[in-house]
Amino acid sequence: MGLSLTSLATTAAGGPGTGGAGADGVVAVIAPYMAVFFIAFFVALLLTPVMRLLALSNGVVDHPDVARKLHREPIAYLGGVAIFLGWLAGVSACYVASPQNLWASGFSVAGIHVPISIILGAMAITLTGLFDDVYGISPRVKVGGQLFAAAALASQDVGLRLVENTLTIVGVSDAPDLLVYTLGTAVIAGFVIGGCNAMNLLDGLDGLAAGVGAIACLGFLVIAGVVAFRAGGEPAIDGYADGVRIIMCLAVLGALLGFLPYNFNPATIFMGDAGSLLLGYLCVTTILLFAQTSGSGLLLVTAALIVFALPITDTSLAIFRRKMQGRPIMSPDNGHLHHLLRRSGLSIRQTVVALYSLAGVFAVLGVTMVVLEARVRYVLVLFLALYALIMITAYKYGQAQAAAAREAPEAEAGIEASLPGAGGEPGEAEPVAASSGPAHPGGHNPA
């Protein structure tokens, strides 16, 4: 996947006949910010075992559950706090040391830093998830924390340009400021709530959410580098946004890669809601930052959403599946993509790698959309075809599983009736359910 993204960046920035100059240019754009990545990486790498010890000593752990989970000993939470502190250390570095001489022309980006509203929102999300991990809170309270984070973003107009660009495309170029702000706030809230819960739902296997998030951030980083390089060193209004996007991508990527060695199967620590909600928030915030680009904001947001398509797809399936079954949308089940792959016979690691590969495909498609601006429609067709294939396949497989589950109790009852002394307590042992795949392997989010 890395080779494909590099090749696409080469084509985008310098053209196929540049002999690699385009890729060198994109790397040169990103290089001054690499300290952000390394700071985030090492802080997360060093703090994750500290948070694990803290969680174990205070009983903030996920306890074994033979019926639903694969781990046989308590696994620590609080990994999300390490991810947050790694990310915060990375973005904070730019407040004290700004990269200089971004291009050979001497354009300086001194003073570029991540808006304080993004940091405040991240703090609110992390605290919300942390309280849920430690004490347990209601879904309404969690949504309240997400709305606070969305309000913080709206206070500094992060994402409002998306509404302005959309209204301009549909022919409304002089919309009242109040209308733009109202619609923009609603869109931001939708992005934040959707992104947080999408990543929360995906966090079902060791290393899955962290790895998929890292792949998505790598895709965002390539897009941000290509866009910045295409600006050609012009000190235009987009220069600030280019720097912020690159900083965000590197900080999230570094923090996740610092955490992932401890979270990959067999995991010694889970990110918990503090991590999965935060990761979703940071990803959708980065997507909204792409709207801050003159002329092509809507295209870049669309491409970034495609990069983030795996969590979106899994969430879409969950909503569709639960509606079809007449169940509440927030009710937990075991029909997520990772559950289906596990029941097909794949091991935990094989399932995670398979979903990494799918996330990589989506990332390449999103980057391709930015590279081949004149061929956007073809990339959209490919994406929609892949999305539809996944949805239909998962739906058919889910229907077959549901039919098998309806037949299982009847067959099991017949077997029990034929056994000598049958008639024990109902639900006392459920070997069929256990063998068909745990509802939440690895002890992650029960949704």
Side-chain angles (χ1 to χ4, degrees), residues 105-171:
S105 61
F107 171 44
S108 173
V109 292
I112 287 184
H113 52 265
V114 172
I116 192 67
S117 62
I118 295 178
I119 296 176
L120 289 176
M123 288 180 176
I125 292 291
T126 305
L127 287 174
T128 300
L130 181 60
F131 271 96
D132 190 44
D133 291 334
V134 177
Y135 303 109
I137 57 178
S138 68
R140 290 185 178 181
V141 176
K142 286 198 284 188
V143 171
Q146 294 162 30
L147 289 176
F148 178 88
L153 295 179
S155 69
Q156 284 194 299
D157 298 342
V158 177
L160 291 185
R161 289 279 293 275
L162 176 60
V163 173
E164 294 176 358
N165 293 340
T166 304
L167 290 175
T168 300
I169 289 175
V170 299

Side-chain angles (χ1 to χ4, degrees), residues 57-152:
S57 62
N58 289 275
V60 185
V61 298
D62 186 82
H63 293 282
D65 183 341
V66 176
R68 300 191 308 146
K69 303 169 185 177
L70 295 184
H71 61 287
R72 293 295 176 261
E73 60 184 29
I75 302 294
Y77 278 135
L78 302 187
V81 178
I83 294 173
F84 169 74
L85 293 175
W87 171 82
L88 182 62
V91 299
S92 297
C94 291
Y95 281 87
V96 295
S98 299
Q100 303 288 330
N101 299 320
L102 182 58
W103 282 280
S105 61
F107 171 44
S108 173
V109 292
I112 287 184
H113 52 265
V114 172
I116 192 67
S117 62
I118 295 178
I119 296 176
L120 289 176
M123 288 180 176
I125 292 291
T126 305
L127 287 174
T128 300
L130 181 60
F131 271 96
D132 190 44
D133 291 334
V134 177
Y135 303 109
I137 57 178
S138 68
R140 290 185 178 181
V141 176
K142 286 198 284 188
V143 171
Q146 294 162 30
L147 289 176
F148 178 88

Side-chain angles (χ1 to χ4, degrees), residues 2 72 111 119 133 153-154 291 368 384 393 401 436:
R72 293 295 176 261
I119 296 176
D133 291 334
L153 295 179
T368 303
L384 291 174
T393 302
Q401 290 290 324
S436 65

Side-chain angles (χ1 to χ4, degrees), residues 266-287:
T268 59
I269 186 171
F270 297 149
M271 66 170 61
D273 277 10
S276 59
L277 295 178
L278 173 68
L279 182 52
Y281 167 80
L282 294 177
C283 286
V284 297
T285 300
T286 305
I287 293 171

Side-chain angles (χ1 to χ4, degrees), residues 341-392:
L341 290 175
R342 286 283 290 126
R343 283 198 289 270
S344 71
L346 297 182
S347 67
I348 292 179
R349 290 192 178 188
Q350 289 171 336
T351 299
V352 170
V353 170
L355 291 174
Y356 283 178
S357 301
L358 182 57
V361 171
F362 282 130
V364 170
L365 283 175
V367 172
T368 303
M369 175 173 283
V370 177
V371 171
L372 306 177
E373 288 181 305
R375 300 179 179 86
V376 168
R377 68 188 68 179
Y378 302 117
V379 179
L380 276 175
V381 168
L382 284 174
F383 166 70
L384 291 174
L386 178 59
Y387 181 84
L389 177 63
I390 294 171
M391 293 288 285
I392 293 171

Side-chain angles (χ1 to χ4, degrees), residues 142-234:
K142 286 198 284 188
V143 171
Q146 294 162 30
L147 289 176
F148 178 88
L153 295 179
S155 69
Q156 284 194 299
D157 298 342
V158 177
L160 291 185
R161 289 279 293 275
L162 176 60
V163 173
E164 294 176 358
N165 293 340
T166 304
L167 290 175
T168 300
I169 289 175
V170 299
V172 183
S173 57
D174 297 320
D177 291 341
L178 180 60
L179 175 62
V180 172
Y181 186 80
T182 302
L183 291 176
T185 302
V187 169
I188 293 170
F191 266 70
V192 171
I193 293 174
C196 287
N197 288 282
M199 194 57 74
N200 193 235
L201 291 173
L202 189 69
D203 184 27
L205 289 178
D206 297 349
L208 180 56
V212 170
I215 292 169
C217 286
L218 179 59
F220 297 154
L221 179 62
V222 174
I223 294 175
V226 169
V227 173
F229 181 78
R230 281 178 173 172
E234 296 290 336

